[in-house]
Amino acid sequence: MSDMHRKLTTIFCADVQDYSRLMGADEEGTLATLRRYRDAMARLIDARGGRVVNTWGDGLIAEFPSVVEAVRAAIDVQNELARLNVAQADGARMYFRIGINLGDVIGEGDDIYGDGVNIAARLQASAPAGGIVISNTVYDQVRNKVAVGFEFLGQLQVKNIEGGVASYAVHIGAEEDRPGPRGNRSVFGRQAAPERAAASAARRRRAVFCGLGMIAAGVVAVNLLTWRGEVWAVWPVFAVALIAALLWIRTSRLDRGFAALAVAGLAVTSINLLTWHGTFWAAWPLLGLATAAGIRWVRRGQGGIGH
């Protein structure tokens, strides 16, 4: 009887950057380093409640019941391997790329299969050496629970997934201070597809903001050309500015919660000033928003503390 079954799980996929080059330079030394680094990875994965599903060549697949713990494990792994690389000669340093996806998979025995695994592998292939790339399903679960930065990379094209998969790079602290291969810090992926997607998304965002700016300028121009002693354009321009701010929140690398609170504070202050009658009533809403921001900051800090 087959024990195949479906389940929702977090897939952690890793492999070595430039493994063939390392093997060509020193087979025995590379295999010894790979074994040592894999042992460190397995220990850190186990400490976060995950399990190593499979290893092959220079690759590794693990799964986690917790999305947050999977990302924390990936951060632990990259920090630990960066520390181990310090003791290695430049040409012998080994850098892993990691991709993480939350998806539905088929389990059979100890193995897992399906699009959820394939997406994790594609995310891994798009990561820089020593870096981590996650899917949007992972990002939605961890963005307020792990004290790291995220960068939207655009839609990653994946076979059998129409429209691709939105992906994010995980920025681990001050990455420029962490050891890494020279000239490879900002390159995402073996291929240029994720980079092109991110560039295309940036162009679309610029076009939208330019369009909103032109609308605002047009409204002001109509107000001036039909002047009757009233600056009625201020409210349409305010509405356009609010739309632009909301779009900025969606694409910003900042925490969306904090960004939304900041925009709300600016909106309340602007309304108070535009309808000024001698009372700064916005002080109380601003106090409430500041309190909400403080609570969010405390909770986020607690979420980023490891077990």
Side-chain angles (χ1 to χ4, degrees), residues 35-45 80-81 84:
R35 187 176 302 111
R36 185 166 69 254
Y37 283 25
R38 269 190 181 159
D39 288 344
M41 293 173 70
R43 170 174 50 82
L44 294 169
I45 288 168
E80 175 69 8
L81 298 189
L84 293 175

Side-chain angles (χ1 to χ4, degrees), residues 191-226:
Q191 302 171 357
E195 239 180 312
R196 287 198 300 270
S200 177
R203 286 194 297 271
R204 288 195 298 272
R205 289 194 296 270
R206 285 195 296 270
V208 170
F209 286 123
C210 286
L212 290 173
M214 292 176 65
I215 290 172
V219 169
V220 172
V222 171
N223 192 169
L224 294 176
L225 292 172
T226 59

